[in-house]
């Protein structure tokens, strides 16, 4: 299995049912409460603004919790993901909640061919998506192709400084170990678990990932024809990125117990297509 897409898709296919069953994704809360939103979308509500009536696409939507949340806020949503198993869970969530959301299986780089060009008012990408893509410039070109003139990108993502850190050390020091900037070769991980609570034992543990520096992301978008309208760095993340070193707040965000201002863990970015 030399193709990184095949390896990564196999890994995500195996984890999708476990994620849907995990309390961390809160699928049953979506079913029980028609006003429930994912913690990721809820965190950015002050920055997201009114999306009522917008035609939106959620790239790398996984099991669809953010996609359904945006639908509940009034957007006409499509979700796209390369994992068929994840989309089984996403469609099940939409059916159980009565959400009129379309889900399409395709690689993110093939999104314009799968969905058509210049048809969306909003492109949304959530946390933990860009690290699976080897070329950030190709991604920016996809975003530009999908958006109509004047349409906007809304991105919340793990900060490249966080992705560059070594695993937590016993002494609590933060050490830079992995690439901050995009490299041609991936970082290869062989990890048995996942980022949510589950007792499932996984057999597919290999994954390939790439980091993209913050300047690389911004420059790629500018060169693709988008203008940056907002960039906010956060000292928190919606998952426990550094086990043993963080505390979880009432909104589900994790930040360093010791001097959290030392580390940006995520960022929110908005950009608008010129024209």
């Amino acid at each position: 299995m030399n193709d990184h897409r095949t390896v990564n898709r196999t890994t995500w296919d195996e984890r999708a049912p476990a994620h849907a069953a995990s309390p961390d994704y809160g699928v049953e809360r979506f079913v029980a409460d028609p006003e429930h939103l994912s913690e990721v979308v809820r965190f950015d509500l002050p920055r997201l603004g009114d999306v009522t009536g917008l035609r939106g696409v959620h790239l790398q939507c996984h099991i669809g919790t953010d996609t359904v949340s945006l639908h509940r806020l009034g957007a006409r949503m499509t979700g796209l993901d390369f994992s068929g198993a994840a989309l089984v869970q996403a469609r099940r969530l939409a059916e159980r909640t009565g959400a009129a959301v379309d889900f399409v299986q395709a690689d993110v780089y093939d999104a314009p061919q799968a969905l058509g060009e210049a048809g969306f008012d909003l492109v949304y990408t959530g946390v933990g998506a860009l690290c699976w893509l080897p070329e950030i410039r190709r991604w920016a070109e996809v975003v530009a192709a999908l958006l109509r003139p004047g349409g906007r990108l809304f991105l919340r993502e793990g900060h490249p400084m966080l992705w560059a850190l070594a695993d937590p050390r016993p002494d609590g020091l933060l050490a830079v170990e992995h690439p901050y900037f995009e490299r041609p070769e991936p970082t290869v991980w062989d990890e048995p678990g996942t980022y949510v609570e589950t007792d499932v034992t996984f057999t597919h543990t290999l994954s390939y990932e790439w980091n993209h520096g913050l300047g690389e992301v911004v420059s790629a978008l500018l060169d693709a024809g988008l203008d940056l309208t907002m960039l906010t760095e956060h000292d928190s993340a919606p998952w426990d990125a550094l086990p043993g070193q963080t505390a979880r707040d009432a909104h589900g965000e994790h930040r360093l117990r010791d001097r959290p201002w030392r580390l940006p863990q995520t960022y929110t970015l908005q950009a608008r297509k010129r024209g």
Side-chain angles (χ1 to χ4, degrees), residues 10-133:
T10 301
T11 297
W12 282 106
D13 283 349
E14 186 178 30
R15 280 155 180 76
H19 289 182
S22 171
D24 292 329
Y25 268 100
V27 166
E28 295 307 320
R29 282 178 283 168
F30 278 93
V31 176
D33 181 0
E35 296 184 357
H36 178 72
L37 303 175
S38 69
E39 291 177 345
V40 172
V41 170
R42 194 181 313 119
F43 176 88
D44 269 317
L45 281 178
R47 289 163 284 273
L48 181 63
D50 186 10
V51 297
T52 303
L54 298 184
R55 187 180 181 214
V57 57
H58 179 187
L59 299 180
Q60 298 167 271
C61 68
H62 193 38
I63 65 171
T65 50
D66 291 351
T67 328
V68 169
S69 296
L70 292 166
H71 164 78
R72 288 181 167 182
L73 292 172
R76 296 177 290 125
M77 291 302 299
T78 298
L80 180 138
D81 201 274
F82 75 158
S83 167
L87 293 184
V88 167
Q89 302 300 328
R91 293 184 180 111
R92 186 173 298 162
L93 173 64
E95 181 181 359
R96 294 184 67 197
T97 58
V101 177
D102 296 322
F103 289 100
V104 176
Q105 183 175 358
D107 186 272
V108 67
Y109 289 143
D110 299 327
Q113 292 73 39
L115 302 174
E117 297 193 10
F120 292 94
D121 306 297
L122 174 70
V123 170
Y124 177 90
T125 297
V127 178
L130 298 187
C131 61
W132 303 98
L133 305 179

Side-chain angles (χ1 to χ4, degrees), residues 5 17-18 23 50 66 89 92 140 144 161 174 190 192-193 249 258 270:
R5 290 184 184 86
D50 186 10
D66 291 351
Q89 302 300 328
R92 186 173 298 162
M161 193 65 248
L174 303 178
D190 191 353
D249 66 20
D258 177 25
Q270 291 199 67

Side-chain angles (χ1 to χ4, degrees), residues 1-272:
M1 294 174 64
N2 296 320
D3 178 25
H4 73 266
R5 290 184 184 86
T6 302
V7 174
N8 287 345
R9 185 168 51 242
T10 301
T11 297
W12 282 106
D13 283 349
E14 186 178 30
R15 280 155 180 76
H19 289 182
S22 171
D24 292 329
Y25 268 100
V27 166
E28 295 307 320
R29 282 178 283 168
F30 278 93
V31 176
D33 181 0
E35 296 184 357
H36 178 72
L37 303 175
S38 69
E39 291 177 345
V40 172
V41 170
R42 194 181 313 119
F43 176 88
D44 269 317
L45 281 178
R47 289 163 284 273
L48 181 63
D50 186 10
V51 297
T52 303
L54 298 184
R55 187 180 181 214
V57 57
H58 179 187
L59 299 180
Q60 298 167 271
C61 68
H62 193 38
I63 65 171
T65 50
D66 291 351
T67 328
V68 169
S69 296
L70 292 166
H71 164 78
R72 288 181 167 182
L73 292 172
R76 296 177 290 125
M77 291 302 299
T78 298
L80 180 138
D81 201 274
F82 75 158
S83 167
L87 293 184
V88 167
Q89 302 300 328
R91 293 184 180 111
R92 186 173 298 162
L93 173 64
E95 181 181 359
R96 294 184 67 197
T97 58
V101 177
D102 296 322
F103 289 100
V104 176
Q105 183 175 358
D107 186 272
V108 67
Y109 289 143
D110 299 327
Q113 292 73 39
L115 302 174
E117 297 193 10
F120 292 94
D121 306 297
L122 174 70
V123 170
Y124 177 90
T125 297
V127 178
L130 298 187
C131 61
W132 303 98
L133 305 179
E135 297 174 80
I136 200 62
R137 288 190 168 271
R138 284 184 66 192
W139 168 82
E141 291 165 0
V142 166
V143 171
L146 291 170
L147 286 171
R148 62 165 180 79
R152 63 171 167 142
L153 165 71
F154 192 98
L155 167 70
R156 187 181 182 206
E157 182 53 283
H159 200 286
M161 193 65 248
L162 175 65
W163 298 138
L165 293 182
D167 288 340
R169 294 162 45 123
D171 60 11
L173 289 177
L174 303 178
V176 178
E177 173 66 22
H178 305 293
Y180 175 90
F181 298 106
E182 181 181 301
R183 304 283 297 164
E185 64 278 2
T187 299
V188 182
W189 300 97
D190 191 353
E191 298 182 323
T194 187
Y195 54 85
V196 299
E197 178 186 340
T198 180
D199 57 4
V200 175
T201 299
F202 301 108
T203 58
H204 298 287
T205 59
L206 197 65
S207 65
Y208 296 93
E209 299 180 29
W210 291 261
N211 205 359
H212 311 286
L214 197 56
E216 292 175 327
V217 175
V218 171
S219 296
L221 291 169
L222 292 173
D223 291 346
L226 283 78
D227 291 322
L228 191 71
T229 59
M230 190 197 74
L231 177 59
T232 303
E233 296 173 291
H234 312 290
D235 67 359
S236 66
W239 83 104
D240 188 4
L242 297 165
Q245 297 188 27
T246 69
R248 189 173 190 261
D249 66 20
H251 305 290
E253 292 282 312
H254 298 258
R255 53 180 49 81
L256 288 174
R257 289 193 181 94
D258 177 25
R259 295 167 291 158
W261 53 86
R262 291 181 294 158
L263 178 68
Q265 294 200 50
T266 56
Y267 65 94
T268 302
L269 178 152
Q270 291 199 67
R272 194 169 296 276

